[in-house]
Amino acid sequence: MSETRISARPVSPFWPPGLPRHLTLPQTHLFHNIEVSAARYPHKPAIVYYDSPLSYAQLKADAERLAGHLQHVCGVKRGDRVLLYLQNGPQWVIGYYAILRADAVVVPVNPMNLSDELRHYVHDTGATTAIVPQDLLAQVTPLLATDSSGAGLRHLVVATYSDYLGTPTTLRVPDIVAAPRDAVAGAGLTAWHAVLARGLVPGPMQAGPDDLAVMPYTSGTTGAPKGCMHTHRSVMSTLVGGVQWFGCTQDAVFLSVLPFFHVTGMAGSMNGPLYVGATIVLLTRWDREAAAESIQRYHVTLWQVISTMMIDFLSNPRIEQYDLSSLVAVRGGGAAMPEAIALKLKALTGLSYAEGYGMSETMAATHINPPQRAKPQCLGIPVFDVDARIVDPDTLAEMPQGESGEIVVHGPQVMQGYWHQPQATADSFVQIDGKRFLRTGDLARIDEDGYFFMVDRLKRMINAAGFKVWPAEVEAMMYKHPAILEACVIAARDARRGETVKALVVLKDGEQGRVSEQDIITWAHEHMAAYKSPRIVEFVAALPKSGSGKVQWRELQAQELARSTPPQETR
């Protein structure tokens, strides 16, 4: 397949200086990235894991031995799907590249999923092999095939995080990481260390840039999760584009705290750094003290982080005691960074938070803020070779600059479609000007500089007596209250207005009892228009979050509607 350049369309005048609009992508297998970095920098740490280094040469060697096991013992063939069900750790990275080395397809799975949720992944993908950690083995064993039909998993590689801890550390190590190796026994189960000890050699790589490589699952608004089919080419697009956008070199040091099962962390905090030969400082669990100490200790230069982590990081009363001066870029996405938090980061480090925008369907970013001119609470501008437009959700007519509509995107990082879901695939794509565009379901507007600003999800809107209220806007304003740690805005039923605005609020430590729910309501009325100001505030201990750290507003909305819906009368 030849590369296509996006036809000329208006671009932001603030495109990063020195970068081309078109990015020529490597026409290679993703595993070749590891081969190249290991040949160039064999003894350099690819990963530093709680002060224990793993060199590029060792990363490549371990991935090849695991790939040999997948092929020769598990029977994995080109195009087969293999589940990767782990928390962040060296085994996640090695497992990912081992599956690719075996010419198979990586199916990254949220480690918070339990057996019933995992069952869908196993059945939908037809996977017979999974790489799992010992602490989650009990969630996977019920899915082992028990009859001659072969349905279900048949092979498990069981990892122990502490296998890669060889250096004493003063960092706080999570219990699951420090736990010693358990004995592994049972049909189809093989311990990670035993796999590596056998030293099996995989066959030659056969897959090319247009073969499937990674298949993350996305929940969408309804129904069971759907697999997003990504090729080596589409995965390559975001990993290469990210390092080019931020000027990353082989001497960069990344703090990798975002979960790798999610495309944002996978592309920006794992694949990109390894492509250029940089070093990843890796944490299995988010820990603000360990993060700050790691930045100071390893002179971290680039950090990809989401708003919930940054809020916690900056609320650390000891934060100013750490030397964070090595940081040259802080980036992220998934949810808008509250302006008050971005300003606090700027005051502490002198850096602007560079937000980006993407989806599982696009293997992370289609838009990123230019590092030299990042705008707050902004998705950024379309990156290399991306044609992104704002259209009327009903007519698909392009909207004028400044008016809200649905984001549609065309570019090299867009998925092929949903696995075994032809109707869902057809519903998610439209033809505009002869090109295939992905419908994102996100509402945004474009400003006079070509920057995209999120308005909200297409269906996440509160209609209060005819006034449209966008929850993300209200949430961003509420973060300016000095007592608020987190906030989620949802719709509540109202007899007069139909719907009204409700805010679920987590207070900062020490604020409980000092501020009341009515105080927040009064403050909100003083700081925003009456129609969008929360009429109801409820204090909660915590907000539910997905494994990637996003606040699960749909869950909270459903709970609210269930509480306010009267039970049906029985006859």
Side-chain angles (χ1 to χ4, degrees):
M1 175 191 285
S2 60
E3 288 199 19
T4 359
R5 295 176 185 240
I6 301 303
S7 59
R9 287 182 60 77
V11 295
S12 171
F14 300 105
W15 186 266
L19 289 184
R21 302 288 202 275
H22 167 68
L23 192 66
T24 301
L25 297 176
Q27 304 295 298
T28 50
H29 192 293
L30 286 166
F31 189 80
H32 187 58
N33 296 346
I34 298 300
E35 292 180 316
V36 170
S37 290
R40 287 175 171 165
Y41 318 110
H43 307 301
K44 182 184 180 184
I47 298 170
V48 176
Y49 189 53
Y50 297 97
D51 289 331
S52 293
L54 178 72
S55 71
Y56 269 100
Q58 193 63 53
L59 169 61
K60 174 177 176 286
D62 286 3
E64 287 182 326
R65 286 184 285 178
L66 178 54
H69 176 84
L70 295 177
Q71 289 182 334
H72 301 307
V73 176
C74 305
V76 171
K77 302 181 297 298
R78 179 178 179 178
D80 284 353
R81 282 73 55 205
V82 178
L83 301 191
L84 189 56
Y85 177 61
L86 294 157
Q87 298 204 52
N88 281 13
Q91 289 100 326
W92 207 104
V93 182
I94 294 164
Y96 182 93
Y97 282 98
I99 295 168
L100 294 174
R101 177 62 183 83
D103 284 329
V105 181
V106 179
V107 181
V109 182
N110 186 337
M112 296 175 69
N113 284 345
L114 303 180
S115 296
D116 288 344
E117 296 160 312
L118 288 169
R119 187 169 285 108
H120 170 71
Y121 291 88
V122 173
H123 291 170
D124 194 55
T125 62
T128 58
T129 302
I131 301 172
V132 305
Q134 63 182 23
D135 59 294
L136 296 178
L137 183 59
Q139 300 297 336
V140 186
T141 49
L143 305 179
L144 287 167
T146 56
D147 55 49
S148 58
S149 69
L153 295 170
R154 306 194 73 84
H155 300 277
L156 300 180
V157 176
V158 184
T160 302
Y161 297 114
S162 61
D163 282 353
Y164 286 84
L165 294 180
T167 303
T169 182
T170 58
L171 296 175
R172 184 163 49 200
V173 179
D175 290 344
I176 63 164
V177 174
R181 189 187 299 157
D182 291 338
V184 172
L189 275 64
T190 309
W192 181 282
H193 72 95
V195 168
L196 299 188
R198 293 189 66 180
L200 295 176
V201 178
M205 289 189 294
Q206 299 176 321
D210 296 310
D211 280 272
L212 290 186
V214 182
M215 200 160 72
Y217 271 68
T218 183
S219 298
T221 54
T222 59
K226 304 182 292 293
C228 302
M229 297 186 291
H230 281 285
T231 63
H232 289 261
R233 187 189 303 275
S234 60
V235 179
M236 195 76 79
S237 174
T238 53
L239 75 89
V240 175
V243 296
Q244 296 282 350
W245 195 265
F246 287 95
C248 174
T249 72
Q250 66 270 25
D251 293 310
V253 180
F254 282 70
L255 176 60
S256 296
V257 294
L258 296 187
F260 289 160
F261 74 83
H262 191 271
V263 295
T264 303
M266 185 192 306
S269 293
M270 183 187 74
N271 283 336
L274 297 179
Y275 167 76
V276 295
T279 294
I280 294 170
V281 178
L282 183 57
L283 300 180
T284 292
R285 293 269 179 86
W286 167 249
D287 182 323
R288 68 187 187 185
E289 297 281 356
E293 180 60 38
S294 294
I295 293 171
Q296 176 175 274
R297 187 174 298 182
Y298 292 101
H299 309 292
V300 167
T301 57
L302 291 107
W303 182 21
Q304 191 177 33
V305 61
I306 58 174
S307 57
T308 50
M309 291 177 177
M310 184 58 76
I311 292 167
D312 183 52
F313 183 78
L314 294 178
S315 66
N316 182 351
R318 299 179 58 244
I319 192 60
E320 293 188 2
Q321 299 176 22
Y322 291 97
D323 180 3
L324 310 179
S325 61
S326 60
L327 287 170
V328 297
V330 181
R331 59 175 292 207
M337 182 66 70
E339 184 179 7
I341 302 301
L343 290 173
K344 190 172 181 180
L345 173 68
K346 179 83 169 180
L348 180 66
T349 66
L351 299 173
S352 297
Y353 180 73
E355 297 187 35
Y357 168 77
M359 312 167 67
S360 298
E361 288 87 343
T362 63
M363 189 48 68
T366 58
H367 299 63
I368 309 177
N369 269 270
Q372 84 286 357
R373 198 176 189 275
K375 293 192 179 186
Q377 297 182 304
C378 173
L379 304 181
I381 62 176
V383 297
F384 311 98
D385 298 307
V386 170
D387 183 349
R389 308 184 188 185
I390 300 293
V391 302
D392 184 294
D394 298 319
T395 67
L396 301 181
E398 194 162 359
M399 303 297 290
Q401 179 257 313
E403 293 193 20
S404 297
E406 183 180 1
I407 304 173
V408 295
V409 293
H410 171 87
Q413 62 274 79
V414 175
M415 68 173 181
Q416 302 302 299
Y418 294 113
W419 176 256
H420 289 169
Q421 295 276 350
Q423 188 58 54
T425 299
D427 292 343
S428 297
F429 287 92
V430 293
Q431 289 286 326
I432 302 175
D433 294 341
K435 293 190 290 190
R436 185 176 184 249
F437 281 80
L438 173 71
R439 300 192 65 161
T440 67
D442 286 325
L443 293 172
R445 61 178 177 83
I446 306 176
D447 73 2
E448 65 279 2
D449 294 326
Y451 286 66
F452 283 59
F453 286 82
M454 179 74 81
V455 175
D456 221 313
R457 290 288 302 171
L458 189 58
K459 295 183 179 179
R460 194 190 177 195
M461 184 268 291
I462 301 170
N463 190 341
F467 290 98
K468 292 180 173 62
V469 179
W470 306 111
E473 179 186 3
V474 180
E475 290 166 358
M477 296 178 75
M478 294 191 72
Y479 274 107
K480 296 179 181 179
H481 191 288
I484 292 177
L485 179 66
E486 293 183 302
C488 180
V489 171
I490 59 175
R493 296 188 189 278
D494 185 276
R496 188 173 61 85
R497 306 174 81 208
E499 291 182 339
T500 195
V501 183
K502 176 176 180 177
L504 299 162
V505 169
V506 180
L507 294 176
K508 294 178 180 176
D509 288 341
E511 296 294 341
Q512 294 82 358
R514 298 178 58 185
V515 62
S516 70
E517 293 162 337
Q518 185 57 49
D519 290 338
I520 301 293
I521 293 172
T522 302
W523 179 91
H525 276 287
E526 293 173 351
H527 287 80
M528 62 187 85
Y531 76 88
K532 68 175 68 169
S533 177
R535 303 290 183 92
I536 306 169
V537 168
E538 178 183 345
F539 290 158
V540 294
L543 296 174
K545 297 184 179 72
S546 68
S548 59
K550 294 181 182 179
V551 174
Q552 295 181 305
W553 64 266
R554 288 190 182 87
E555 177 183 325
L556 295 169
Q557 184 66 77
Q559 292 171 359
E560 178 64 24
L561 292 177
R563 281 197 298 266
S564 59
T565 302
Q568 295 184 353
E569 294 182 1
T570 56
R571 297 180 181 273

